[in-house]
Amino acid sequence: MATTKFDSVSTNGQDRKPDPVRVNGGDGNLSYNKNSCYQRLALNVVREKMFDAITRKFDVKEFSATSNTIRLADMGCAVGPNTVVTMQDVMEVIKNKYQSDCPNSKTPDFQIFFNDKSSNDFNILFSCIPEDRQYSAAGVPGSFHNRLFPEASLHFVHSAYALHWLSRMPEEMQDENSAAFNRGRVHYSSAPEEVENAYASQFAKDFDSFLNARAKEIVSGGMVVIIIPGVLDGMPCYELTTSVMYELMGDIFMDLAKEGLISEAQVNCFNMPIYSPYPKQMAKFVEENGHFTVESIELTDPTATYNGRIDIEVWTKHVRAAMDGMFLKYFEIGIVDEMFDRLLKRLFEASDRVNSSHKEKNMMFVVLMRK
């Protein structure tokens, strides 16, 4: 256990520049490139569902009549092979559908855009793109909550494990006098109702911004596929496996504050900007936005392709590869290292609770069509 006092940043996080939603770049031991196989296994669960939706609903005849190029975009692509393999597979399904539906016409060209924040390690991403690819590729830096592409230029948009990241934390959560002030915790999963409501309200705003931006960029009849952590309607989110980890993180940060390594004010001002919606919420948000129709909203089991108990060490590395930037915006590297060291130990001690918590039906698969 560490006894050295670490220097820590100000409670508002303004003294540090790392992007709070940037995954670890590079190719090192804690890189997202080497620690995203769980996400890949989860994507494989909905792979055939996505292909089926494209086969049934993607109108290649209509699109090819107005454009010689079919344009695809992955929003929040991160780094590593997951995004490249997924988008190439989508392209192949569309190409096969075109050759089946339009056998006497020339197959259109394809262009694939990979979008993420400007702090994303696009160099690692580009190194995963094969040189003999049969499509044009481009990186597009910027927030997917804003416009990124010309009007009516995209035909297919994909976003996996990205939209659950909030663009910001609600202001009321920084007010000590507010019922939404999340004292001593780092997430809403075990917090009062007012805290969860603040998270849900921010997610609703962010999702509406995402849909409004895509509504301008996607052609009529275009498709959006979203894969995002979700929660069964009516289920308390504290029953989820991830909530066990978030609760332990909060406890560890409070222990560090009691030991004088950080301040309690820092813990109170730090909240993980991650929200998992319910299916009924998603349907309501899409309806209220008005630009898309719902083809499918369903919860699937991301663990369906592997069995057995959770490998806690591997799971923790995956979480750190995805979340380091968020923690480093508020805490020095020594504190982050210490927190994850203690977290690994706590998770092993709580392994029975981790493995008995709810981990089925917590990945949401959404297919939307542009009106």
Side-chain angles (χ1 to χ4, degrees):
M1 182 177 296
T3 56
T4 304
K5 181 174 177 63
F6 297 105
D7 293 328
S8 300
V9 299
S10 63
T11 58
N12 62 12
Q14 296 302 308
D15 296 344
R16 296 182 65 82
K17 300 300 183 184
D19 192 316
V21 295
R22 171 190 56 80
V23 301
N24 283 348
D27 198 37
N29 183 50
L30 291 176
S31 67
Y32 192 79
N33 188 38
K34 287 189 174 179
N35 294 279
S36 55
C37 67
Y38 279 175
Q39 291 88 335
R40 182 161 60 253
L41 291 171
L43 290 175
N44 287 339
V45 172
V46 295
R47 175 187 175 94
E48 295 304 321
K49 293 179 181 292
M50 179 168 63
F51 294 169
D52 178 67
I54 294 170
T55 301
R56 289 186 296 104
K57 301 294 293 187
F58 197 80
D59 195 345
V60 292
K61 289 184 178 180
E62 176 68 22
F63 299 151
S64 61
T66 57
S67 176
N68 293 323
T69 303
I70 301 298
R71 297 180 180 87
L72 322 175
D74 190 18
M75 305 286 185
C77 63
V79 299
N82 291 356
T83 178
V84 175
V85 171
T86 297
M87 297 310 289
Q88 287 181 170
D89 287 347
V90 168
M91 182 199 70
E92 289 297 330
V93 174
I94 295 175
K95 183 187 294 186
N96 291 339
K97 178 175 172 61
Y98 188 88
Q99 292 170 348
S100 174
D101 292 358
C102 310
N104 298 320
S105 301
K106 179 181 178 294
T107 303
D109 293 329
F110 287 86
Q111 188 169 19
I112 298 179
F113 298 100
F114 298 95
N115 155 257
D116 213 310
K117 292 289 190 70
S118 57
S119 55
N120 189 56
D121 191 343
F122 282 98
N123 287 332
I124 287 292
L125 171 62
F126 293 154
S127 70
C128 297
I129 299 175
E131 293 185 4
D132 61 348
R133 62 187 179 274
Q134 297 180 352
Y135 57 90
S136 300
V140 180
S143 170
F144 51 52
H145 295 116
N146 304 321
R147 281 284 305 276
L148 295 166
F149 298 93
E151 188 168 352
S153 61
L154 299 177
H155 301 89
F156 180 92
V157 166
H158 176 270
S159 182
Y161 285 91
L163 281 174
H164 61 301
W165 289 96
L166 302 180
S167 67
R168 54 172 295 174
M169 292 307 301
E171 291 183 5
E172 60 266 33
M173 294 189 64
Q174 301 299 316
D175 181 359
E176 292 189 25
N177 298 315
S178 169
F181 187 67
N182 201 21
R183 190 182 305 275
R185 290 174 292 266
V186 299
H187 193 246
Y188 69 87
S189 56
S190 57
E193 182 180 3
E194 292 83 357
V195 177
E196 181 173 356
N197 289 342
Y199 268 84
S201 177
Q202 185 61 49
F203 177 83
K205 294 174 185 176
D206 288 346
F207 188 47
D208 192 58
S209 295
F210 174 87
L211 293 179
N212 285 334
R214 303 296 81 75
K216 291 288 187 180
E217 299 166 349
I218 298 174
V219 300
S220 177
M223 179 179 288
V224 179
V225 172
I226 297 168
I227 299 160
I228 184 173
V231 185
L232 283 166
D233 288 321
M235 172 179 283
C237 59
Y238 61 74
E239 294 183 10
L240 298 174
T241 305
T242 51
S243 296
V244 177
M245 175 178 280
Y246 299 155
E247 180 184 327
L248 292 176
M249 285 178 175
D251 291 344
I252 292 167
F253 278 125
M254 287 302 293
D255 288 344
L256 292 172
K258 292 174 184 176
E259 295 168 24
L261 302 178
I262 56 176
S263 70
E264 188 171 330
Q266 283 179 279
V267 182
N268 293 336
C269 289
F270 173 76
N271 290 280
M272 300 174 68
I274 297 171
Y275 182 77
S276 299
Y278 299 89
K280 287 183 179 179
Q281 281 181 312
M282 291 293 280
K284 177 175 178 287
F285 296 153
V286 174
E287 181 181 1
E288 290 176 346
N289 177 266
H291 293 301
F292 296 85
T293 58
V294 175
E295 176 66 20
S296 175
I297 295 180
E298 62 177 296
L299 288 172
T300 63
D301 182 1
T303 66
T305 57
Y306 59 94
N307 299 310
R309 295 172 68 85
I310 293 174
D311 187 324
I312 289 176
E313 188 168 0
V314 172
W315 181 39
T316 305
K317 285 181 66 176
H318 275 63
V319 169
R320 182 162 190 181
M323 297 184 180
D324 248 358
M326 171 182 64
F327 289 112
L328 291 172
K329 185 175 176 67
Y330 292 88
F331 303 104
E332 290 292 333
I333 182 63
I335 288 292
V336 178
D337 286 342
E338 181 67 15
M339 189 277 290
F340 273 104
D341 286 346
R342 297 189 188 193
L343 178 64
L344 186 61
K345 180 180 179 181
R346 296 277 186 94
L347 286 171
F348 274 118
E349 292 171 349
S351 61
D352 288 342
R353 181 185 173 199
V354 169
N355 283 282
S356 63
S357 58
H358 187 85
K359 46 186 175 290
E360 301 84 20
K361 297 290 185 180
N362 61 9
M363 180 174 68
M364 194 181 302
F365 175 70
V366 181
V367 180
L368 308 177
M369 304 300 296
R370 179 69 171 95
K371 291 182 178 179

Coordinates of all heavy atoms in Angstrom, one line a residue, residues 34-94:
K34 N -4.3 -3.2 -27.6 CA -4.0 -4.6 -27.1 C -5.0 -5.0 -26.0 O -4.9 -6.1 -25.6 CB -2.6 -4.6 -26.5 CG -1.5 -4.6 -27.5 CD -0.1 -4.9 -26.9 CE 1.0 -5.0 -28.0 NZ 2.3 -5.3 -27.4
N35 N -5.9 -4.1 -25.7 CA -6.9 -4.5 -24.6 C -8.3 -4.1 -25.0 O -9.0 -3.3 -24.3 CB -6.5 -3.7 -23.3 CG -5.2 -4.2 -22.7 OD1 -5.1 -5.2 -22.1 ND2 -4.1 -3.5 -23.0
S36 N -8.8 -4.6 -26.1 CA -10.1 -4.4 -26.5 C -10.8 -5.6 -27.1 O -11.7 -5.5 -27.9 CB -10.2 -3.2 -27.6 OG -9.3 -3.5 -28.7
C37 N -10.3 -6.8 -26.7 CA -10.9 -8.0 -27.2 C -12.3 -8.3 -26.7 O -13.1 -8.9 -27.3 CB -9.9 -9.2 -27.0 SG -9.8 -9.7 -25.2
Y38 N -12.6 -7.8 -25.4 CA -13.9 -8.0 -24.9 C -14.9 -7.2 -25.8 O -16.0 -7.7 -26.1 CB -14.0 -7.4 -23.5 CG -13.5 -8.4 -22.4 CD1 -13.4 -8.0 -21.1 CD2 -13.1 -9.7 -22.7 CE1 -13.0 -8.8 -20.1 CE2 -12.7 -10.5 -21.7 CZ -12.6 -10.1 -20.4 OH -12.2 -11.0 -19.4
Q39 N -14.5 -6.0 -26.2 CA -15.4 -5.3 -27.1 C -15.6 -6.0 -28.4 O -16.7 -6.0 -29.0 CB -14.8 -3.9 -27.4 CG -14.9 -2.9 -26.1 CD -13.6 -3.1 -25.3 OE1 -13.0 -4.1 -25.3 NE2 -13.3 -2.0 -24.5
R40 N -14.5 -6.6 -28.9 CA -14.6 -7.3 -30.2 C -15.6 -8.6 -30.0 O -16.4 -8.8 -30.9 CB -13.2 -7.8 -30.6 CG -13.2 -8.5 -32.0 CD -11.8 -8.6 -32.6 NE -10.8 -9.2 -31.7 CZ -9.9 -8.6 -31.1 NH1 -9.8 -7.2 -31.1 NH2 -9.0 -9.2 -30.4
L41 N -15.5 -9.3 -28.9 CA -16.3 -10.4 -28.7 C -17.8 -10.0 -28.6 O -18.7 -10.6 -29.1 CB -15.9 -11.1 -27.4 CG -14.6 -11.9 -27.5 CD1 -14.2 -12.4 -26.1 CD2 -14.7 -13.1 -28.4
A42 N -18.0 -8.8 -27.9 CA -19.4 -8.3 -27.8 C -19.9 -7.9 -29.2 O -21.1 -8.2 -29.5 CB -19.4 -7.1 -26.9
L43 N -19.1 -7.3 -30.0 CA -19.6 -6.9 -31.4 C -19.9 -8.1 -32.2 O -20.9 -8.1 -33.0 CB -18.5 -6.1 -32.1 CG -18.2 -4.7 -31.5 CD1 -17.0 -4.1 -32.3 CD2 -19.4 -3.8 -31.7
N44 N -19.2 -9.2 -32.0 CA -19.5 -10.5 -32.7 C -20.9 -11.0 -32.4 O -21.5 -11.7 -33.2 CB -18.5 -11.5 -32.4 CG -17.1 -11.3 -33.0 OD1 -17.1 -10.5 -34.0 ND2 -16.1 -11.8 -32.5
V45 N -21.4 -10.7 -31.2 CA -22.7 -11.1 -30.8 C -23.8 -10.5 -31.7 O -24.8 -11.2 -32.0 CB -23.0 -10.8 -29.3 CG1 -24.4 -11.1 -28.9 CG2 -22.0 -11.6 -28.4
V46 N -23.7 -9.3 -32.1 CA -24.7 -8.6 -32.9 C -24.3 -8.5 -34.3 O -25.0 -7.9 -35.1 CB -25.0 -7.2 -32.3 CG1 -25.6 -7.2 -30.9 CG2 -23.7 -6.3 -32.3
R47 N -23.2 -9.1 -34.7 CA -22.8 -9.1 -36.1 C -23.8 -9.5 -37.1 O -24.1 -8.8 -38.0 CB -21.5 -10.0 -36.2 CG -20.9 -10.2 -37.5 CD -19.8 -11.2 -37.5 NE -19.3 -11.6 -38.8 CZ -18.2 -11.0 -39.3 NH1 -17.6 -10.1 -38.6 NH2 -17.7 -11.4 -40.4
E48 N -24.4 -10.7 -36.9 CA -25.4 -11.2 -37.8 C -26.7 -10.3 -37.8 O -27.4 -10.2 -38.8 CB -25.7 -12.6 -37.5 CG -24.6 -13.6 -37.7 CD -24.0 -13.5 -39.2 OE1 -24.8 -13.3 -40.1 OE2 -22.8 -13.6 -39.3
K49 N -27.0 -9.8 -36.6 CA -28.2 -8.9 -36.5 C -28.0 -7.7 -37.4 O -28.9 -7.2 -38.1 CB -28.5 -8.5 -35.1 CG -28.9 -9.6 -34.2 CD -29.1 -9.1 -32.8 CE -29.5 -10.3 -31.8 NZ -30.9 -10.8 -32.1
M50 N -26.8 -7.1 -37.3 CA -26.5 -5.9 -38.1 C -26.5 -6.3 -39.6 O -27.1 -5.5 -40.4 CB -25.2 -5.4 -37.7 CG -24.8 -4.1 -38.5 SD -23.3 -3.3 -37.8 CE -22.1 -4.5 -37.9
F51 N -25.9 -7.4 -40.0 CA -25.9 -7.8 -41.4 C -27.3 -8.0 -41.9 O -27.7 -7.7 -43.0 CB -25.1 -9.0 -41.6 CG -23.6 -8.8 -41.3 CD1 -22.7 -9.9 -41.2 CD2 -23.1 -7.6 -41.1 CE1 -21.4 -9.8 -41.0 CE2 -21.7 -7.4 -40.9 CZ -20.9 -8.5 -40.8
D52 N -28.2 -8.6 -41.1 CA -29.5 -8.9 -41.5 C -30.3 -7.6 -41.7 O -31.1 -7.5 -42.7 CB -30.2 -9.7 -40.4 CG -31.7 -10.0 -40.7 OD1 -32.0 -10.7 -41.7 OD2 -32.6 -9.5 -40.0
A53 N -30.1 -6.6 -40.8 CA -30.8 -5.3 -41.0 C -30.3 -4.6 -42.3 O -31.2 -4.1 -43.0 CB -30.4 -4.4 -39.8
I54 N -29.0 -4.7 -42.6 CA -28.6 -4.1 -43.8 C -29.2 -4.8 -45.0 O -29.7 -4.2 -46.0 CB -27.0 -4.2 -43.9 CG1 -26.4 -3.3 -42.8 CG2 -26.5 -3.8 -45.3 CD1 -24.9 -3.6 -42.7
T55 N -29.2 -6.1 -45.0 CA -29.8 -6.9 -46.1 C -31.2 -6.6 -46.3 O -31.7 -6.5 -47.5 CB -29.6 -8.4 -45.8 OG1 -28.2 -8.7 -45.7 CG2 -30.1 -9.2 -47.0
R56 N -32.0 -6.4 -45.2 CA -33.4 -6.2 -45.4 C -33.8 -4.7 -45.7 O -34.7 -4.5 -46.4 CB -34.1 -6.6 -44.1 CG -34.2 -8.1 -43.8 CD -35.0 -8.4 -42.6 NE -34.5 -7.8 -41.4 CZ -34.9 -6.8 -40.8 NH1 -36.0 -6.1 -41.3 NH2 -34.4 -6.3 -39.6
K57 N -33.0 -3.8 -45.1 CA -33.5 -2.4 -45.2 C -32.6 -1.4 -45.9 O -33.1 -0.3 -46.3 CB -33.6 -1.9 -43.7 CG -34.6 -2.7 -42.8 CD -36.0 -2.5 -43.3 CE -36.5 -1.1 -43.1 NZ -38.0 -1.1 -43.4
F58 N -31.4 -1.8 -46.2 CA -30.5 -0.8 -46.9 C -30.8 -0.8 -48.4 O -30.6 -1.8 -49.1 CB -29.0 -1.2 -46.7 CG -28.0 -0.2 -46.9 CD1 -27.8 0.9 -46.0 CD2 -27.3 -0.1 -48.1 CE1 -26.8 1.8 -46.3 CE2 -26.4 0.8 -48.4 CZ -26.1 1.8 -47.5
D59 N -31.3 0.3 -48.9 CA -31.8 0.4 -50.3 C -30.7 0.8 -51.2 O -30.5 1.9 -51.6 CB -32.9 1.5 -50.3 CG -33.7 1.4 -51.6 OD1 -33.3 0.7 -52.5 OD2 -34.8 1.9 -51.6
V60 N -29.9 -0.2 -51.7 CA -28.8 0.0 -52.6 C -29.3 0.6 -53.9 O -28.6 1.4 -54.6 CB -28.0 -1.2 -52.8 CG1 -27.2 -1.6 -51.5 CG2 -28.8 -2.4 -53.3
K61 N -30.4 0.2 -54.4 CA -30.9 0.6 -55.7 C -31.1 2.2 -55.6 O -30.8 2.9 -56.6 CB -32.2 -0.1 -56.1 CG -32.0 -1.5 -56.5 CD -33.4 -2.1 -56.9 CE -33.2 -3.6 -57.4 NZ -34.5 -4.2 -57.8
E62 N -31.8 2.6 -54.6 CA -32.1 4.0 -54.4 C -30.8 4.8 -54.3 O -30.6 5.9 -54.9 CB -32.9 4.3 -53.2 CG -33.2 5.7 -52.9 CD -34.1 6.4 -53.9 OE1 -34.8 5.7 -54.7 OE2 -34.0 7.6 -54.1
F63 N -29.8 4.4 -53.5 CA -28.6 5.1 -53.3 C -27.7 5.1 -54.5 O -27.1 6.2 -54.8 CB -27.8 4.5 -52.1 CG -28.6 4.5 -50.8 CD1 -28.3 3.6 -49.8 CD2 -29.5 5.5 -50.5 CE1 -29.0 3.6 -48.6 CE2 -30.2 5.5 -49.3 CZ -30.0 4.6 -48.4
S64 N -27.6 4.0 -55.2 CA -26.8 4.0 -56.4 C -27.3 4.8 -57.5 O -26.6 5.2 -58.4 CB -26.6 2.5 -56.9 OG -27.8 2.0 -57.2
A65 N -28.6 5.1 -57.5 CA -29.2 6.0 -58.5 C -28.8 7.4 -58.4 O -28.9 8.2 -59.4 CB -30.7 5.8 -58.5
T66 N -28.4 7.8 -57.2 CA -28.0 9.2 -56.9 C -26.6 9.4 -56.6 O -26.1 10.6 -56.5 CB -28.9 9.7 -55.8 OG1 -28.7 8.9 -54.6 CG2 -30.4 9.7 -56.1
S67 N -25.8 8.3 -56.4 CA -24.4 8.5 -56.1 C -23.6 7.3 -56.6 O -24.0 6.2 -56.5 CB -24.3 8.6 -54.5 OG -22.9 8.7 -54.2
N68 N -22.4 7.6 -57.1 CA -21.5 6.5 -57.5 C -20.6 6.0 -56.4 O -19.8 5.1 -56.5 CB -20.6 7.1 -58.6 CG -21.3 7.4 -59.9 OD1 -22.3 6.6 -60.2 ND2 -21.0 8.4 -60.6
T69 N -20.8 6.7 -55.2 CA -20.0 6.3 -54.0 C -20.9 6.1 -52.8 O -21.7 6.9 -52.5 CB -18.9 7.3 -53.7 OG1 -18.1 7.6 -54.8 CG2 -18.1 6.9 -52.5
I70 N -20.7 4.9 -52.1 CA -21.5 4.7 -50.9 C -20.5 5.0 -49.8 O -19.4 4.5 -49.7 CB -21.9 3.2 -50.8 CG1 -22.8 2.8 -52.0 CG2 -22.6 2.9 -49.5 CD1 -24.1 3.6 -52.0
R71 N -21.0 5.9 -48.9 CA -20.1 6.4 -47.8 C -20.6 5.9 -46.4 O -21.8 6.0 -46.1 CB -20.1 8.0 -47.8 CG -19.6 8.5 -49.1 CD -19.6 10.0 -49.1 NE -19.0 10.5 -50.4 CZ -19.7 10.7 -51.5 NH1 -21.1 10.5 -51.5 NH2 -19.2 11.2 -52.6
L72 N -19.6 5.3 -45.7 CA -19.9 4.8 -44.4 C -19.0 5.5 -43.4 O -17.9 6.0 -43.7 CB -19.5 3.3 -44.4 CG -19.8 2.4 -45.6 CD1 -19.2 1.0 -45.4 CD2 -21.3 2.4 -45.9
A73 N -19.5 5.6 -42.1 CA -18.8 6.3 -41.1 C -18.9 5.5 -39.8 O -20.0 5.1 -39.4 CB -19.3 7.7 -40.9
D74 N -17.8 5.4 -39.1 CA -17.8 4.8 -37.7 C -17.6 6.0 -36.7 O -16.5 6.6 -36.8 CB -16.8 3.7 -37.6 CG -17.0 3.0 -36.2 OD1 -18.0 3.0 -35.6 OD2 -16.0 2.3 -35.8
M75 N -18.5 6.3 -35.9 CA -18.5 7.4 -34.9 C -17.9 6.9 -33.6 O -18.5 6.0 -33.0 CB -19.8 8.0 -34.8 CG -20.5 8.5 -36.0 SD -19.7 10.0 -36.7 CE -20.8 10.3 -38.1
G76 N -16.8 7.5 -33.2 CA -16.2 7.0 -31.9 C -15.4 5.8 -32.1 O -15.5 4.8 -31.4
C77 N -14.6 5.7 -33.2 CA -14.0 4.5 -33.6 C -12.9 4.0 -32.7 O -12.5 2.8 -32.8 CB -13.4 4.7 -35.1 SG -12.1 6.0 -35.1
A78 N -12.3 4.9 -31.9 CA -11.1 4.6 -31.1 C -9.9 4.1 -31.9 O -9.7 4.6 -33.0 CB -11.5 3.5 -30.0
V79 N -9.2 3.1 -31.4 CA -8.0 2.6 -32.2 C -8.1 1.1 -32.2 O -8.9 0.4 -31.5 CB -6.7 3.1 -31.5 CG1 -6.6 4.6 -31.5 CG2 -6.6 2.5 -30.1
G80 N -7.2 0.5 -33.0 CA -7.1 -1.0 -33.1 C -7.9 -1.5 -34.2 O -8.6 -0.8 -35.0
P81 N -8.0 -2.8 -34.3 CA -8.6 -3.5 -35.4 C -10.1 -3.6 -35.4 O -10.7 -3.9 -36.4 CB -8.0 -4.9 -35.4 CG -7.7 -5.1 -33.9 CD -7.3 -3.8 -33.4
N82 N -10.7 -3.4 -34.2 CA -12.2 -3.6 -34.1 C -13.0 -2.8 -35.1 O -13.8 -3.3 -35.8 CB -12.7 -3.2 -32.7 CG -12.2 -4.2 -31.7 OD1 -11.5 -5.2 -32.0 ND2 -12.5 -3.9 -30.4
T83 N -12.7 -1.5 -35.2 CA -13.4 -0.6 -36.1 C -13.1 -1.0 -37.6 O -14.0 -0.9 -38.4 CB -13.1 0.9 -35.8 OG1 -13.8 1.7 -36.8 CG2 -11.6 1.2 -36.0
V84 N -11.9 -1.3 -37.9 CA -11.5 -1.6 -39.3 C -12.2 -2.9 -39.7 O -12.8 -2.9 -40.8 CB -10.0 -1.7 -39.4 CG1 -9.6 -2.2 -40.8 CG2 -9.3 -0.4 -39.0
V85 N -12.2 -3.9 -38.9 CA -12.8 -5.2 -39.3 C -14.3 -5.0 -39.5 O -14.9 -5.5 -40.4 CB -12.5 -6.3 -38.3 CG1 -13.3 -7.5 -38.5 CG2 -11.0 -6.6 -38.3
T86 N -14.9 -4.3 -38.5 CA -16.4 -4.1 -38.5 C -16.8 -3.4 -39.8 O -17.7 -3.8 -40.5 CB -16.9 -3.3 -37.3 OG1 -16.6 -4.1 -36.1 CG2 -18.4 -3.1 -37.4
M87 N -16.1 -2.3 -40.1 CA -16.5 -1.4 -41.3 C -16.3 -2.2 -42.6 O -17.0 -2.0 -43.5 CB -15.9 -0.1 -41.2 CG -16.2 0.7 -40.0 SD -18.0 0.9 -39.7 CE -18.5 1.9 -41.1
Q88 N -15.2 -2.9 -42.6 CA -14.9 -3.7 -43.8 C -16.0 -4.8 -44.0 O -16.4 -5.0 -45.2 CB -13.5 -4.4 -43.8 CG -12.4 -3.4 -43.9 CD -11.0 -4.1 -43.9 OE1 -10.0 -3.4 -44.2 NE2 -11.0 -5.3 -43.5
D89 N -16.4 -5.4 -43.0 CA -17.5 -6.4 -43.1 C -18.8 -5.8 -43.5 O -19.5 -6.3 -44.3 CB -17.7 -7.1 -41.7 CG -16.5 -8.0 -41.4 OD1 -15.7 -8.3 -42.3 OD2 -16.4 -8.5 -40.2
V90 N -19.1 -4.6 -43.0 CA -20.3 -3.9 -43.4 C -20.3 -3.6 -44.9 O -21.2 -3.8 -45.6 CB -20.5 -2.6 -42.6 CG1 -21.6 -1.7 -43.2 CG2 -20.9 -2.9 -41.1
M91 N -19.1 -3.1 -45.3 CA -18.9 -2.8 -46.8 C -19.2 -4.0 -47.6 O -19.8 -4.0 -48.7 CB -17.5 -2.3 -47.0 CG -17.3 -1.9 -48.5 SD -15.5 -1.8 -48.9 CE -15.0 -3.5 -48.8
E92 N -18.7 -5.2 -47.2 CA -18.8 -6.4 -48.0 C -20.3 -6.8 -48.0 O -20.8 -7.3 -49.1 CB -18.0 -7.5 -47.4 CG -16.5 -7.4 -47.5 CD -16.1 -7.4 -49.0 OE1 -16.8 -8.1 -49.8 OE2 -15.1 -6.7 -49.3
V93 N -21.0 -6.7 -47.0 CA -22.4 -7.0 -47.0 C -23.2 -6.1 -47.9 O -24.1 -6.6 -48.7 CB -23.1 -6.9 -45.6 CG1 -24.6 -7.1 -45.6 CG2 -22.4 -7.9 -44.6
I94 N -22.9 -4.8 -47.9 CA -23.5 -3.9 -48.8 C -23.2 -4.2 -50.3 O -24.0 -4.2 -51.2 CB -23.2 -2.4 -48.5 CG1 -23.7 -2.1 -47.1 CG2 -23.7 -1.4 -49.5 CD1 -23.3 -0.7 -46.6

